[in-house]
Amino acid sequence: MEQPPRPKLFDFHGVSMTKYFTDNWDNVQNFKARPDDILIATYPKAGTTWVSHILDLLYFGQTSPERQTSIPIHERVPFLEINSPSLPTGTDLAEKLPTSPRLIKTHLPVQLVPKSFWEQNCRIVYVARNAKDTAVSYFHFGRMNMLQPEPGDWSSFLHGFMEGKMVFGPWYDHVTGWWEKKQTHSKLLYLFYEDLIKDTGREIDHLCSFLGLSPSAEERETVIGRVQFDSMKKNKMTNYSTVQIMDLKVSPFMRKGKVADWKNHFTVAQSEQFDEDYKKRMKHPMQQFRTEV
Ligand code: PPS
């Protein structure tokens, strides 16, 4: 299949974006959320697919087990703002979801989320991942995904990351904006990728208590087993092997799934410069991101 040309970044309401996430903007902004919709919000590469799979299993693993083997995760949990060539738009997929609740994914910074999610007081799960590992994961994603702008080499990509010249804007503003929203929107659960790595079962318990779910001990164990990195990497419904625009030979979507892979990418000088800049930008005392576990 012929691949679409790599898109260019442009400023969209103060955030760097590409046309694949803005071309369907009217429908995104006018999307009609329902009160029981659950929005999974993240900066790219923070563990969206992981949490999507966890939630899908918690809600529908018992009642509709066939979903797990027949519907890829990006159709079970549509990506609201996506509008990519030759695929249905995220808003179409979300509107046609037969499930209740509907699980919907977004990478939008908090200020661009369609207003109906706030009006309907929807539950939102935000997942954040430390900046250094996010940058590394995003770099490899750019290499293999034709819907991303050309990432260039690691050094120039990292520079762009620090400047916020990434699709969905600066990581710094994204994680902080959503954190601040948590202070006024009580139905927002803010999770960290590093905590999921450290103790997946405990984070699943947090999710369940937030969502009012009480799986049996056996069900809980089954979910924990199915969402392990190795099992999601083997699973065609979660490893994105069905998606043409991604070249998994260049870099797999389920790449490493670790904390601190940044150490294999950052030079000492890059790390020092990054840390220096980070301290100036992340003044919020709350956000204790861990770059190691
Ligand atoms: S996307 O494209 O923004 O939706 O990507 P996203 O799903 O947010 O992030 C992909 C990274 O999450 C890792 N991942 C996992 N890590 C550990 N355990 C599990 N089960 C898991 N599932 C996904 C995935 O490997 C990507 O991280 P990297 O560091 O690139 O491996």
Side-chain angles (χ1 to χ4, degrees):
M1 190 183 97
E2 201 183 319
Q3 295 291 6
R6 293 275 193 161
K8 296 252 180 296
L9 281 178
F10 56 88
D11 182 272
F12 184 74
H13 300 288
V15 177
S16 292
M17 289 290 244
T18 64
K19 63 184 181 135
Y20 297 130
F21 304 104
T22 59
D23 274 2
N24 190 33
W25 197 245
D26 284 351
N27 290 328
V28 172
Q29 282 302 283
N30 296 323
F31 183 75
K32 286 196 175 46
R34 298 182 195 148
D36 65 340
D37 284 346
I38 297 171
L39 190 64
I40 300 167
T42 58
Y43 190 75
K45 313 321 287 179
T48 333
T49 313
W50 197 0
V51 169
S52 299
H53 194 39
I54 292 173
L55 290 195
D56 192 68
L57 282 166
L58 285 172
Y59 276 106
F60 312 116
Q62 299 279 307
T63 50
S64 328
E66 72 291 347
R67 276 170 74 75
Q68 306 299 328
T69 49
S70 59
I71 313 178
I73 193 71
H74 60 271
E75 287 177 29
R76 276 181 267 155
V77 183
F79 184 0
L80 186 65
E81 57 272 18
I82 202 164
N83 181 25
S84 82
S86 68
L87 287 174
T89 62
T91 49
D92 272 356
L93 281 175
E95 272 154 16
K96 291 196 183 109
L97 274 182
T99 59
S100 176
R102 302 185 298 187
L103 306 174
I104 299 171
K105 152 182 168 176
T106 185
H107 287 319
L108 291 172
V110 69
Q111 71 277 15
L112 296 184
V113 168
K115 64 178 186 318
S116 64
F117 286 97
W118 311 117
E119 288 165 355
Q120 298 297 330
N121 200 20
C122 296
R123 284 200 175 83
I124 302 178
V125 177
Y126 186 80
V127 194
R129 184 181 193 181
N130 81 74
K132 285 177 165 174
D133 283 328
T134 300
V136 168
S137 183
Y138 213 175
F139 170 64
H140 290 292
F141 188 62
R143 293 171 50 233
M144 58 81 102
N145 182 352
M146 302 312 132
L147 290 193
Q148 285 292 312
E150 193 58 63
D153 63 13
W154 164 243
S155 158
S156 59
F157 182 87
L158 182 60
H159 206 252
F161 185 91
M162 289 167 68
E163 290 195 325
K165 297 220 168 70
M166 297 280 115
V167 191
F168 298 105
W171 175 91
Y172 313 86
D173 296 358
H174 206 282
V175 297
T176 306
W178 276 99
W179 181 268
E180 284 167 354
K181 189 73 186 178
K182 190 168 96 78
Q183 315 313 317
T184 53
H185 187 79
S186 61
K187 286 168 113 182
L188 171 56
L189 179 70
Y190 199 106
L191 297 179
F192 293 91
Y193 177 91
E194 292 75 22
D195 291 335
L196 274 158
I197 290 277
K198 184 120 196 172
D199 191 340
T200 310
R202 190 189 53 196
E203 295 311 296
I204 289 180
D205 295 342
H206 278 154
L207 276 165
C208 288
S209 84
F210 173 69
L211 300 167
L213 298 172
S214 13
S216 66
E218 194 192 340
E219 226 181 287
R220 180 181 178 275
E221 283 314 304
T222 306
V223 174
I224 293 175
R226 291 204 190 157
V227 304
Q228 292 306 303
F229 180 81
D230 290 342
S231 97
M232 283 182 61
K233 188 175 171 81
K234 273 189 245 139
N235 181 346
K236 285 196 179 64
M237 295 297 123
T238 55
N239 65 13
Y240 278 88
S241 54
T242 56
V243 174
Q244 304 278 336
I245 42 121
M246 295 188 191
D247 187 344
L248 303 191
K249 290 198 282 309
V250 173
S251 178
F253 182 89
M254 298 292 298
R255 194 183 59 88
K256 284 205 179 164
K258 296 237 174 322
V259 180
D261 186 40
W262 64 268
K263 291 185 178 176
N264 299 315
H265 292 75
F266 283 68
T267 63
V268 172
Q270 282 172 341
S271 180
E272 284 172 3
Q273 201 192 356
F274 192 90
D275 292 346
E276 198 52 41
D277 177 64
Y278 188 93
K279 266 188 250 148
K280 287 186 213 133
R281 304 175 64 165
M282 297 294 287
K283 296 226 167 86
H284 232 294
M286 100 312 141
Q287 283 161 318
Q288 301 298 339
F289 281 97
R290 286 175 297 157
T291 51
E292 296 180 45
V293 286

